[in-house]
Amino acid sequence: MKFRFDRNAMISEISIAQEIISTKNALSVLSNVLFIAENNTLTIKATDIKVNFQTKIPVDIEEEGSTTILCDKFMGILNSLPEGEIEFSLQERDNLVVALIKHSTINRKYNLNCMSKDKFPEIAVAEKVSFFEVPSKEFKQMISQTTFAVSEDETRYFLNGVFFEKKDDKLILVATDGRRLAYAEKSLLAGVIDFPSAIVHPKVLNIVAKHASDEGMINVAIVDKMIFFNFRNYEFSATLIDGQFPNYTKVIPTSQASKFTVLKSEFVDALKSISIMLDKTGRISLNLEPGKLIINAKSLDWGDAKSEIPCEYAGEPISYAMNYRHIDSPLKVMDSERITFEFTEVLKPVTLRPEPASDYFNIVMPMSIE
């Protein structure tokens, strides 16, 4: 096996592979990337068993072949070399297969131990699979509007992913950790045949959102407990999370008679100003009075903080206790100038949404008032 490649082009692909691979055990083949060199094309594959990545780049092949190499070490070598052409070749040394990596113009060489491709797991291939297209920009928005609400509690594994569902021509994404819920929907599926609902691991979604451009389309397929994403020269796939996602519609209030509206910029500044006094519970209090909102954070160890901002509210005074993170996270993906909180009574779910209302919102369960 022997081929030459452009250093910068390779770095772009290996950096994505690094996001996929398992780094828990450097001696495991899951910490390696698989190279297959044939027909002047290098196929690169990476997997952590649950999430898979494949791409192809043009290379100048002198001898076809395949191997796997430690991803992090290979990236370190690439970063240590200047731009230009690099040669990769396999050699045997002391009963080991070694990759000789050298630059075309400077006298610097690296020998990197390899592992046989036979030890590399098989990656599911989307053959004879019905893909549907979604606009990249809108799909990326939906990912950012939901993945932050996924549960990190592995004992409730069915909440560890984002729920995908098709209703008529709408794509619906929902995530919840039991204390908050993020919901996004867009009419992206006109003419698309029905597909099974699925729970998708946020890792693959965040990687897709990071590397897909805002232009063009992303091809998606859900079949045989797998989800596939194809765009440009990239192919991603992931095993779906098994289990029954809860009936999220029961959590969404049908009507909420009370609400208040604030400028997002003022609210974010107020939250940031009192956050330095948060204790480990993350509890803040929202105290509503006609025309104003007072936000408090209190710690028995450090003290307390208070910030007051104007708001559109004409009801009776009321106070809510909420988790700071459950409010701060959705605010980061809301691009409206104003935000609205809709509610009924203390300890009942609160809806946080952009103003005017859009195609996404968040449901937050209040905390008990101290």
Side-chain angles (χ1 to χ4, degrees):
M1 182 180 188
K2 186 176 183 179
F3 60 90
R4 289 176 293 277
F5 61 88
D6 177 75
R7 178 253 194 193
N8 289 349
M10 182 67 79
I11 283 180
S12 296
E13 312 307 309
I14 297 300
S15 64
I16 301 176
Q18 277 189 308
E19 299 173 37
I20 301 289
I21 62 170
S22 170
T23 57
K24 293 180 180 179
N25 184 357
L27 298 179
S28 167
V29 73
L30 296 182
S31 295
N32 286 25
V33 288
L34 171 63
F35 283 170
I36 303 173
E38 57 186 6
N39 299 323
N40 283 329
T41 299
L42 180 69
T43 300
I44 302 170
K45 297 184 180 184
T47 183
D48 69 354
I49 297 298
K50 295 180 179 179
V51 180
N52 312 306
F53 167 63
Q54 177 174 309
T55 187
K56 295 181 179 182
I57 60 172
V59 293
D60 184 10
I61 297 178
E62 188 172 321
E63 183 179 344
E64 295 183 345
S66 61
T67 192
T68 78
I69 58 171
L70 189 60
C71 185
D72 283 349
K73 289 298 181 184
F74 184 57
M75 178 60 101
I77 291 171
L78 294 176
N79 286 329
S80 73
L81 294 170
E83 295 183 3
E85 188 178 71
I86 296 174
E87 182 182 284
F88 183 105
S89 61
L90 294 186
Q91 301 177 349
E92 285 195 17
R93 190 176 68 178
D94 299 328
N95 295 320
L96 293 174
V97 177
V98 176
L100 171 62
I101 304 164
K102 60 182 181 179
H103 199 274
S104 60
T105 59
I106 65 170
N107 188 16
R108 192 182 302 170
K109 300 179 181 179
Y110 295 89
N111 290 298
L112 185 59
N113 292 346
C114 300
M115 295 178 69
S116 169
K117 75 165 187 175
D118 297 336
K119 298 181 180 180
F120 198 83
E122 286 290 330
I123 292 179
V125 179
E127 292 182 345
K128 298 180 180 179
V129 169
S130 296
F131 280 87
F132 59 90
E133 290 187 330
V134 291
S136 180
K137 183 176 181 180
E138 286 83 353
F139 186 56
K140 288 171 60 176
Q141 288 174 340
M142 297 182 73
I143 291 172
S144 69
Q145 290 162 356
T146 52
T147 52
F148 63 82
V150 166
S151 173
E152 297 177 356
D153 182 358
E154 294 186 0
T155 64
R156 307 178 74 191
Y157 60 91
F158 51 88
L159 299 182
N160 293 161
V162 177
F163 184 65
F164 273 52
E165 186 176 36
K166 180 182 183 294
K167 285 188 178 179
D168 299 324
D169 68 343
K170 292 180 179 179
L171 175 64
I172 297 173
L173 269 59
V174 184
T176 181
D177 62 5
R179 299 299 302 174
R180 58 176 171 174
L181 180 144
Y183 177 99
E185 69 171 37
K186 288 185 184 294
S187 297
L188 306 179
L189 303 179
V192 174
I193 62 173
D194 289 347
F195 55 82
S197 58
I199 307 174
V200 183
H201 198 287
K203 178 177 178 177
V204 69
L205 293 176
N206 289 328
I207 290 174
V208 167
K210 179 179 178 180
H211 296 287
S213 70
D214 286 344
E215 306 297 326
M217 309 292 283
I218 297 175
N219 295 305
V220 185
I222 299 175
V223 63
D224 295 335
K225 297 185 178 182
M226 296 287 297
I227 189 165
F228 299 88
F229 302 97
N230 293 351
F231 56 93
R232 300 205 308 271
N233 61 315
Y234 300 142
E235 298 178 21
F236 295 93
S237 61
T239 303
L240 297 175
I241 296 174
D242 198 13
Q244 183 67 44
F245 198 80
N247 185 355
Y248 65 87
T249 59
K250 291 184 176 180
V251 182
I252 301 174
T254 55
S255 64
Q256 292 171 296
S258 301
K259 69 176 182 178
F260 70 89
T261 301
V262 293
L263 285 174
K264 177 188 170 184
S265 58
E266 292 183 348
F267 188 66
V268 168
D269 286 345
L271 281 178
K272 184 177 181 181
S273 69
I274 61 99
S275 65
I276 58 175
M277 287 298 181
L278 287 174
D279 62 16
K280 63 181 180 180
T281 68
R283 183 194 308 272
I284 62 172
S285 63
L286 305 179
N287 306 297
L288 267 174
E289 298 178 17
K292 67 179 179 181
L293 172 65
I294 303 168
I295 308 171
N296 293 292
K298 181 172 64 175
S299 167
L300 293 176
D301 294 326
W302 307 308
D304 60 80
K306 179 186 295 185
S307 184
E308 179 180 319
I309 60 172
C311 74
E312 297 176 19
Y313 178 67
E316 294 295 320
I318 189 171
S319 296
Y320 274 91
M322 308 190 84
N323 186 300
Y324 171 87
R325 188 164 64 98
H326 292 174
I327 299 176
D328 181 61
S329 296
L331 287 176
K332 292 177 180 177
V333 298
M334 289 189 180
D335 55 8
S336 58
E337 292 186 1
R338 301 194 305 159
I339 57 171
T340 290
F341 288 76
E342 298 175 342
F343 59 94
T344 51
E345 56 187 86
V346 175
L347 298 182
K348 294 292 186 179
V350 175
T351 301
L352 170 58
R353 63 169 177 81
E355 178 66 38
S358 185
D359 49 14
Y360 66 100
F361 58 83
N362 292 265
I363 306 296
V364 181
M365 289 299 298
M367 303 172 74
S368 60
I369 298 176
E370 294 181 327

